[in-house]
Amino acid sequence: MQPRRARHPRHRLPQGFLPSPLARAVVLACLTATASALPSLSVAQSVAGEHAVARHDIPAGTLDQALNAFAARAGITLSIDGALTAGKASRGLAGSYGVRDGLAALLAGSGLEAVPGAGGGFVLRAAPAPATPPAAASTTLPTVTVSARGDFPDALPPAYAGGQVARGARLGLLGNRDVMDTPFNVSSYTSELIQNQQPATIADILDNDPAVRMSSRGRNTSVGGGDNFFLRGFGLANRDISLNGLYGVLPYGTLSLETVERIEVLKGPSALLTGMAPSGGVGGAVNVVPKRATDAPITRFTASYASDSQWGGHIDLGRRWGDQNQFGVRINGVYRDGDAATSGQSARLTAGAVGLDYRGERLRASLDLGYQSDDVTGAAVGYRLAPALTTIPAAPKAGERFAQSWERRKYTDDYQVAQVEYDLSDSLMLYGAAGARDHRHTNYRTESRILNSAGNLTTSAVSYPEYSRSSSYLLGTRLKFDALTARHELNLAASSMDIDAGYGYAQWAGVASNLYNPAVVADPMATGAPFAGFFDMRLASDTRLSSVGLSDSISWHDGAVQLILGLRHQKVSVDNYAGTAPANPRISGYERSTNSPALGLVVKPWDHTSVYANYIEGLSAGVTAPPDAENAGEAFPPVKTKQKELGIKRDFGRVIGSLALFEIEQPNAITVPGSTPATQRYVMDGEQRNRGLEFSAFGEVARGVRVLGGVTYLQAKQVRTQGGANDGKDAIVAPRWFGNAGLEWDTGFLPGLTLSTRVLLTGSQYVNAQNTLRLPGWARWDVGARYALQGFGRPVTLRANVLNVANRGYWEGSAGSGGIVLSAPRTVNLSATIDF
């Protein structure tokens, strides 16, 4: 046991950060000011946008693929007739170009040109035949300015063919890397995919990933809030998602995607790359990239409708200014309100974000201010299982009313993040970041426990409000140099995070109910019924994480062989407080540290093929021996999860496919005999071992036909369990098979119309260690359509998506202590987007 630490002051934020009310005021003021300035800005900024210079790195491929990538990066609308680009190739584009110069460079030698359209944007057409110059005349080519510049925060890897997935992603300590140069399995989902699929939260986008399943889903389900995921069979909470590599700043329970440019997913542990996640998730890492202003101005409004009667609007504004478009502002605001697809449930969402950025020749900086309020009435948690239960009853019909009218869950989050990069030279860069979040959660609901296969329940009301306040910092440097016939990139970064969390808890007596015919439970606060617990929120824990990471990325033969070596030293400090006692005394705590090495190797034996291998670890907070153990109070070091992986990736030009074979081992705590027959010790000796095979593919298999999906085969076993009782049995919530298949088709019979479909398949999964309780496998079918047209002289896109078309009710997964969770009902999402 460590000596008692001095108690830290509460309610602190990094110096210079805006407090929550002021942050909201700034968001509102910026939104109002920008909206009022739109008439005067639109023409001037449109002209400036055509000549603004931006950095592009577009690989060789088909011409339409290159043009789509350029249009997405430049933020312009480009209308393309597929007959004009059929069979034409592009050598790609690398360097800094204005919009017109970039289009001209991509179209050079193709016999095509891009001209301004009547409704804005550009239209592709056949170029007129050039006149024959006089013999004495000389031909002067247009000047194209190409300059090398360092990456600024929004210089993202370009979108791949089809536009749904990017060519690379940010890998924490290593920065942005192309997928073919990465010794890990990564996916980066683009804003185009996000817009077209109309997701309610990040969970809906991760439905596209064959390595991810949900343990609980927030919006559009009976739960009403809180996304939690399983990656490669290990849990990851929504609060473990980072913003541009910085943990502890994003909204705590769910995340609305109107403010998001990319969702980046790394499969497997990531201690070296990102450090320890706030709640210790080790199955993977999810990073969010916020929206930034593009060189072309953005003025976009979306009106939306969702089942049962939720109406809303989203405004997206972006502008850049300065002689080189150095300064940018991107403002997003969304409001939705109405009845949800689950009967008796209503939801209100209010969210806004302001992204300010500066990109100079050597200095890049950004500031993100955000607010999100997610308020749901008629929302309950999953169903817990009684110890004597022998069979899980069939799932009730999706969309039925399960919660009481007085139940309410409300998540409110304010967050601020500042980031900066500075090039000391062409080979040396310094960078830093600081962020903070203030989270509050109103949680007044019922908890139900399933008693038998007939679906009989005991239901009790609980009030479980929570809060957390976090601050997070990052400081690092990146050095590039040549030595020993190799190219090196040395990365050194230090990070720290402090999270204070507290809660209140009151519980009332249970009443009898049934899964298929829920009883009406009176509001206990209104009736004054007696309860056990306390209403005021009290400090429960203070967690401090700090680390230093060092890596060297070494490459030979122009990247044909790449080796990554790294080590992170992580320190974890935790103080726990007695929330049940009014005096709130400190009751336990520890401080431990550990080292986490990592190694990654990429070899390109042939063009467009990468073979890779890695060894990397994950970290979770150490456990403390319970009071009834002989070694009560003993604090164990942070738990190391170890991964070994071997994979291959192939770029077929328009489709990238990958195959990965992995093994992940995570220690578990068990009790063993003590020094006498009457005692026992608590030790780290059990283990969960997940072995799996992942296949994934994305891209455009034919003109206008896009694919996104894959399949995972997983063997998750328990090893060295308590007395060997469960050795060899499946780990909980780890299906043997699961996969996704998504398809989009740009119809030829009606230009502008796209049809889509997606199927999700998940095998059966156990929800107890003894493997006596099992959730059956399930399948879900989604469909969608969108139509792009010119309306009122402006580009308009109409979208329709239907999730769970068959309205199947099934147990989707388990949220651990939250119990098993019911599937979302059929949900219809409609929207109309107009660009001004």
Side-chain angles (χ1 to χ4, degrees), residues 689-729:
R689 185 185 63 208
N690 290 9
R691 292 173 174 168
L693 183 68
E694 284 173 357
F695 168 75
S696 62
F698 61 86
E700 194 170 31
V701 295
R703 181 172 303 278
V705 179
R706 293 170 288 279
V707 295
L708 175 59
V711 64
T712 295
Y713 173 74
L714 182 66
Q715 282 190 346
K717 298 295 183 182
Q718 302 175 67
V719 183
R720 298 201 304 272
T721 59
Q722 189 78 45
N726 296 322
D727 285 0
K729 294 183 178 179

Side-chain angles (χ1 to χ4, degrees), residues 384-394 449-458 513-516 773:
R384 301 189 179 188
L385 308 178
L389 187 66
T390 57
T391 303
I392 295 177
R449 189 177 298 272
I450 301 176
L451 302 177
N452 52 44
S453 59
N456 292 325
L457 309 172
T458 178
S513 184
N514 186 270
L515 181 63
Y516 311 107
L773 297 176

Side-chain angles (χ1 to χ4, degrees), residues 47-420:
V47 174
E50 292 182 11
H51 300 282
V53 175
R55 175 77 182 177
H56 297 275
D57 186 11
I58 300 173
T62 63
L63 181 58
D64 57 348
Q65 173 186 335
L67 290 171
N68 283 330
F70 180 86
R73 175 66 185 88
I76 63 170
T77 300
L78 178 61
S79 300
I80 301 174
D81 182 349
L84 294 176
T85 58
K88 296 182 183 292
S90 170
R91 291 176 295 179
L93 189 68
S96 295
Y97 293 85
V99 173
R100 289 180 179 271
D101 288 342
L103 289 170
L106 283 172
L107 295 171
S110 67
L112 305 174
E113 66 177 2
V115 297
F122 290 84
V123 178
L124 202 64
R125 72 180 187 186
T132 303
S138 62
T139 302
T140 303
L141 297 176
T143 301
V144 177
T145 301
V146 180
S147 60
R149 298 180 62 178
D151 291 342
F152 25 82
D154 58 352
L156 299 174
Y160 190 66
Q164 296 180 319
V165 181
R167 279 204 60 95
R170 181 188 300 268
L171 294 181
L173 185 66
L174 304 181
N176 283 324
R177 293 181 72 92
D178 188 272
V179 65
M180 301 300 288
D181 296 322
T182 301
F184 306 98
N185 194 350
V186 297
S187 299
S188 179
Y189 301 106
T190 66
S191 58
E192 181 177 344
L193 180 72
I194 294 171
Q195 266 194 311
N196 291 335
Q197 292 192 349
Q198 304 184 83
T201 68
I202 193 172
D204 294 336
I205 285 297
L206 294 190
D207 277 338
N208 296 288
D209 200 299
V212 182
R213 281 298 178 263
M214 309 303 144
S215 62
S216 68
R217 190 184 297 270
R219 299 191 197 124
N220 294 337
T221 69
S222 58
V223 174
D227 291 334
N228 292 284
F229 321 98
F230 275 95
L231 281 77
R232 290 187 169 177
F234 290 98
L236 183 79
N238 191 83
R239 57 185 175 271
D240 285 345
I241 296 175
S242 60
L243 178 71
N244 269 346
L246 196 66
Y247 279 131
V249 293
L250 281 175
Y252 193 90
T254 59
L255 176 62
S256 297
L257 300 187
E258 286 82 3
T259 65
V260 173
E261 182 69 26
R262 294 270 172 91
I263 301 293
E264 301 173 330
V265 183
L266 167 69
K267 286 85 165 181
S270 59
L272 170 71
L273 307 177
T274 63
M276 178 177 157
S279 60
V282 297
V286 178
N287 181 59
V288 165
V289 180
K291 287 182 176 178
R292 291 284 179 261
T294 59
D295 287 311
I298 296 173
T299 307
R300 182 174 297 145
F301 177 75
T302 300
S304 64
Y305 163 86
S307 305
D308 186 28
S309 59
Q310 284 201 34
W311 299 90
H314 167 215
I315 187 167
D316 185 358
L317 306 172
R319 294 292 186 273
R320 300 205 73 86
W321 67 94
D323 55 357
Q324 294 185 356
N325 271 9
Q326 304 99 312
F327 300 94
V329 58
R330 188 76 176 265
I331 302 172
N332 280 267
V334 61
Y335 179 83
R336 283 199 297 270
D337 194 9
D339 293 338
T342 298
S343 179
Q345 186 182 107
S346 62
R348 178 186 296 119
L349 170 68
T350 307
V354 175
L356 308 173
D357 74 279
Y358 172 82
R359 57 188 200 198
E361 190 65 30
R362 292 195 177 275
L363 175 67
R364 283 87 57 191
S366 65
L367 175 65
D368 291 281
L369 305 173
Y371 170 80
Q372 180 176 296
S373 174
D374 205 355
D375 191 356
V376 183
T377 58
V381 296
Y383 295 90
R384 301 189 179 188
L385 308 178
L389 187 66
T390 57
T391 303
I392 295 177
K397 183 179 178 182
E400 291 294 309
R401 182 170 188 151
F402 304 105
Q404 308 299 317
S405 60
W406 47 265
E407 295 189 56
R408 183 184 186 191
R409 304 189 74 177
K410 182 179 181 181
Y411 295 84
T412 305
D413 293 271
D414 293 282
Y415 59 96
Q416 309 91 33
V417 180
Q419 297 179 302
V420 64

Side-chain angles (χ1 to χ4, degrees), residues 15-17 227 336 662 687 733 743 752 778:
Q15 185 175 0
F17 273 78
D227 291 334
R336 283 199 297 270
F662 62 87
E687 182 178 282
V733 203
L743 182 69
W778 55 267

Side-chain angles (χ1 to χ4, degrees), residues 510-744:
V511 298
S513 184
N514 186 270
L515 181 63
Y516 311 107
N517 185 25
V520 175
V521 180
D523 182 349
M525 287 191 182
T527 60
F531 66 92
F534 53 96
F535 286 109
D536 57 313
M537 289 187 290
R538 302 170 184 174
L539 178 66
S541 65
D542 183 3
T543 303
R544 299 168 298 282
L545 308 176
S546 60
S547 70
V548 176
L550 175 65
S551 71
D552 188 8
S553 300
I554 313 167
S555 63
W556 294 268
H557 307 296
D558 294 327
V561 179
Q562 303 177 48
L563 177 66
I564 296 174
L565 302 172
L567 179 72
R568 183 177 292 270
H569 178 77
Q570 179 91 48
K571 185 169 72 172
V572 182
S573 301
V574 178
D575 288 323
N576 298 312
Y577 298 85
T580 57
N584 202 209
R586 178 183 180 275
I587 56 174
S588 66
Y590 68 88
E591 180 175 297
R592 291 288 187 270
S593 61
T594 190
N595 295 317
S596 299
L599 179 148
L601 176 66
V602 175
V603 178
K604 299 179 179 179
W606 311 283
D607 290 343
H608 313 300
T609 300
S610 295
V611 178
Y612 72 91
N614 68 63
Y615 171 83
I616 193 168
E617 298 181 353
L619 286 175
S620 304
V623 298
T624 302
D628 60 348
E630 191 176 44
N631 57 331
E634 180 181 354
F636 294 92
V639 176
K640 289 187 178 185
T641 301
K642 301 177 181 181
Q643 172 181 276
K644 298 183 284 289
E645 182 178 0
L646 179 66
I648 185 170
K649 304 172 186 176
R650 173 70 178 176
D651 186 350
F652 294 94
R654 301 176 67 87
V655 175
I656 289 180
S658 67
L659 188 66
L661 180 68
F662 62 87
E663 178 183 84
I664 306 176
E665 298 173 323
Q666 183 181 62
N668 293 326
I670 63 173
T671 57
V672 297
S675 58
T676 68
T679 61
Q680 61 184 17
R681 292 180 57 80
Y682 194 69
V683 298
M684 299 298 298
D685 194 35
E687 182 178 282
Q688 179 176 333
R689 185 185 63 208
N690 290 9
R691 292 173 174 168
L693 183 68
E694 284 173 357
F695 168 75
S696 62
F698 61 86
E700 194 170 31
V701 295
R703 181 172 303 278
V705 179
R706 293 170 288 279
V707 295
L708 175 59
V711 64
T712 295
Y713 173 74
L714 182 66
Q715 282 190 346
K717 298 295 183 182
Q718 302 175 67
V719 183
R720 298 201 304 272
T721 59
Q722 189 78 45
N726 296 322
D727 285 0
K729 294 183 178 179
D730 286 359
I732 63 171
V733 203
R736 187 64 58 91
W737 289 95
F738 48 98
N740 315 346
L743 182 69
E744 281 195 351

